Amino acid sequence: MEEKKRSSFSGKIGFVMAAAGSAVGLGNIWRFPYLTAEYGGGIFLLVYLILVVTFGFALMIAEIAIGRKTGKSAIEAFSNLNPKWGFLGKLTSAVPIIIFPYYCVIGGWVTKYITVFITGQTQAAAGSEYFSNFIGQETEPILWLALFIFATLIIVIFGVEKGVEKASKVMMPILVILSVAVASFVVFRPEAREGLRFYLMPDFSKFSSKTVLGAMGQLFYSLSLAMGIMITYGSYMRKEVHLEKSVKQIEVFDFGIAFLAGLMIIPAVFAFGSGDDLQAGAGLMFVVLPKVFANMSLGGVLGAVFFILVFFAALTSAISLMETIVSILMDRFRWKRSVSCIIVALWGILIGIPSSLGYGVWSNVQPLGFSILDFFDFISNSVLMPIVAFLTCIFVGYVIKPKAVIDEVELNGKFSRKRIFQIFIQYIAPIFIILILLSSIANSMGWWKI
Ligand code: PHE
């Protein structure tokens, strides 16, 4: 039987925008700034940049090449290249399936915050209990979750070119413009000086193994690696598109937006908040920033613009998650796109509900001592992703051999960082990934603090 032709992105820009849309997400805007603050400012920024162009580069090249070579989503791509490695396809596919529901819960919070600022409730949002009261409710956060999933569904149902690509081509440029606008507004204020110095001048005395491990953990998540997304998007990439150049562009996008987010948030918090606010971790975006906005003239407008930007970032990432799962279902069960989309949406709502309730009525349900949402986050980011990344390195480095990937990249042009790719994928990355895995498990379980 002849296979139906696989959908594809229309060309280079479409591919880069969609992949960058996946990479740029909550990880860049919310997680990156607080990690940077926690791990010593400029030094973290520097280490992160080095990791992006080495580790991140090698793994992203490998995943996209695997996808394009096989024309399959993760579930079949590995077994297609080596039948004994089918298990890695299954493991990889589990990651987006776990992440999607809780990512959308947070997407729902972001959507709610747009309306909070647009309707002028800036002062209320700055109250210290506002956020925890909101997420602790039973129905409201779930309605926002459903709305966010619905928005994702509408786009993914239109398919790769007319849905995912079109939406990314519109949203990504807007996101860049809004980020530059908000960052310049903050940077040119005199109060921003101190924060800028902290952020931009690396202080080498703050360097430690912690800095590297923190940056590595952030790297996979932020570049959407080790979850089959880049394999799926690679499978939609045309053979004429230059793979290495595209990867470089995706990295510029991802690092660029993370960098701008740091510029927006770190000086603002220095100037308008207290130094301690930088340690606010995960709550930074929903708890501390509203306080910062409430203290600024034009803060309401800025808050609304900021959350719209975050919304676009989160939506394009959620789209990539849904698309990846949909493509797995379509490859595996030969289901139609629309049916697969609806099933994934229902899954998102069904499993998202406990994550949401975990902050309210179900707060006493604490698997391994985590809230339900954090538990899913822990299993996917701290356990499964490093394992998948490690096995992917072994698979490429020793099973299909780096040459298989290099040949795919060289289909149209030179692979200029071939050596870096080879050394990282075979030697350096696997060793480091094992270290992160051990440290992140130990950290989360409270066995020891790195
Ligand atoms: N890369 C995305 C970000 O930085 C995170 C993400 C994770 C996206 C999982 C899709 C899937 O937020």
Side-chain angles (χ1 to χ4, degrees):
M1 193 179 77
E2 201 189 324
E3 284 245 353
K4 229 176 79 216
K5 197 170 165 299
R6 196 172 184 81
S7 338
S8 66
F9 292 115
S10 66
K12 180 172 149 225
I13 310 245
F15 172 76
V16 171
M17 289 293 178
S22 169
V24 174
L26 296 168
N28 302 58
I29 300 176
W30 151 74
R31 204 161 177 266
F32 180 79
Y34 86 72
L35 285 181
T36 308
E38 206 170 302
Y39 291 120
I43 186 71
F44 183 83
L45 184 69
L46 183 66
V47 170
Y48 184 71
L49 178 61
I50 295 172
L51 294 185
V52 167
V53 296
T54 51
F55 277 75
F57 174 78
L59 262 156
M60 190 177 280
I61 287 266
E63 290 199 12
I64 296 177
I66 289 175
R68 189 168 78 171
K69 198 176 175 70
T70 56
K72 301 279 183 207
S73 62
I75 193 115
E76 293 190 339
F78 290 102
S79 54
N80 188 292
L81 292 170
N82 183 320
K84 286 208 192 107
W85 281 71
F87 75 94
L88 182 53
K90 294 200 183 103
L91 201 62
T92 309
S93 305
V95 183
I97 295 175
I98 297 176
I99 294 182
F100 180 67
Y102 81 77
Y103 199 81
C104 291
V105 172
I106 305 175
W109 298 347
V110 172
T111 321
K112 151 91 180 175
Y113 268 65
I114 299 181
T115 60
V116 167
F117 283 96
I118 287 188
T119 54
Q121 301 172 57
T122 315
Q123 294 303 330
S128 39
E129 304 289 297
Y130 188 85
F131 178 63
S132 52
N133 283 342
F134 162 62
I135 60 172
Q137 289 172 38
E138 274 158 52
T139 32
E140 199 189 330
I142 293 175
L143 293 178
W144 290 108
L145 157 73
L147 185 71
F148 185 80
I149 291 191
F150 185 69
T152 313
L153 173 75
I154 294 294
I155 294 166
V156 177
I157 225 163
F158 277 102
V160 176
E161 193 180 336
K162 293 208 194 77
V164 178
E165 173 174 337
K166 258 218 180 106
S168 311
K169 273 184 174 163
V170 175
M171 283 189 264
M172 292 310 286
I174 301 183
L175 193 146
V176 172
I177 295 170
L178 294 184
S179 308
V180 172
V182 178
S184 0
F185 182 83
V186 173
V187 166
F188 290 114
R189 299 174 71 105
E191 311 90 289
R193 271 237 195 98
E194 194 194 339
L196 282 179
R197 189 167 319 119
F198 172 77
Y199 183 44
L200 297 177
M201 304 283 249
D203 174 352
F204 288 90
S205 69
K206 293 198 175 125
F207 179 83
S208 70
S209 58
K210 232 170 111 178
T211 326
V212 183
L213 291 174
M216 286 278 282
Q218 168 69 2
L219 183 75
F220 295 124
Y221 185 75
S222 185
L223 289 175
S224 298
L225 295 172
M227 50 185 114
I229 291 183
M230 291 300 159
I231 299 181
T232 304
Y233 277 17
S235 75
Y236 300 146
M237 183 192 211
R238 298 187 179 216
K239 296 277 185 193
E240 311 80 87
V241 176
H242 197 298
L243 211 151
E244 184 182 16
K245 261 195 215 140
S246 307
V247 169
K248 285 187 188 157
Q249 286 162 349
I250 299 165
E251 292 192 321
V252 168
F253 250 107
D254 190 65
F255 181 78
I257 299 288
F259 177 71
L260 286 171
L263 277 183
M264 289 179 233
I265 293 175
I266 295 178
V269 175
F270 260 82
F272 299 98
S274 71
D276 291 346
D277 287 342
L278 277 178
Q279 303 302 326
L284 185 67
M285 189 165 87
F286 294 104
V287 180
V288 180
L289 277 185
K291 287 191 198 150
V292 172
F293 292 133
N295 274 323
M296 286 169 125
S297 49
L298 285 181
V301 179
L302 204 65
V305 173
F306 176 81
F307 278 100
I308 291 175
L309 176 170
V310 181
F311 173 76
F312 280 157
L315 187 60
T316 46
S317 294
I319 289 171
S320 74
L321 283 167
M322 184 184 257
E323 177 62 39
T324 299
I325 310 173
V326 163
S327 139
I328 288 167
L329 297 178
M330 289 168 68
D331 277 359
R332 187 76 195 205
F333 304 110
R334 308 273 173 259
W335 288 345
K336 282 209 309 226
R337 170 170 288 272
S338 51
V339 174
S340 312
C341 281
I342 290 170
I343 289 182
V344 178
L346 291 176
W347 166 260
I349 296 180
L350 203 71
I351 305 299
I353 288 175
S355 294
S356 180
L357 294 181
Y359 292 104
V361 286
W362 285 5
S363 57
N364 52 346
V365 182
Q366 294 211 333
L368 297 179
F370 293 106
S371 69
I372 301 176
L373 190 149
D374 286 340
F375 172 72
F376 285 127
D377 183 80
F378 169 72
I379 294 294
S380 55
N381 294 354
S382 307
V383 182
L384 282 176
M385 279 164 65
I387 295 177
V388 169
F390 173 75
L391 291 173
T392 307
C393 290
I394 301 297
F395 181 74
V396 174
Y398 302 94
V399 180
I400 58 168
K401 304 277 156 63
K403 186 157 183 317
V405 166
I406 293 171
D407 289 346
E408 182 67 31
V409 178
E410 286 180 338
L411 273 184
N412 40 26
K414 229 173 111 230
F415 186 176
S416 53
R417 283 198 272 163
K418 186 154 61 177
R419 288 291 299 162
I420 296 196
F421 165 73
Q422 197 163 353
I423 295 172
F424 270 84
I425 212 85
Q426 272 188 314
Y427 307 109
I428 306 183
I431 298 174
F432 266 80
I433 294 167
I434 288 292
L435 289 180
I436 337 179
L437 178 65
L438 296 178
S439 85
S440 66
I441 293 183
N443 241 327
S444 319
M445 301 300 225
W447 294 336
W448 87 76
K449 277 264 175 251
I450 287 205

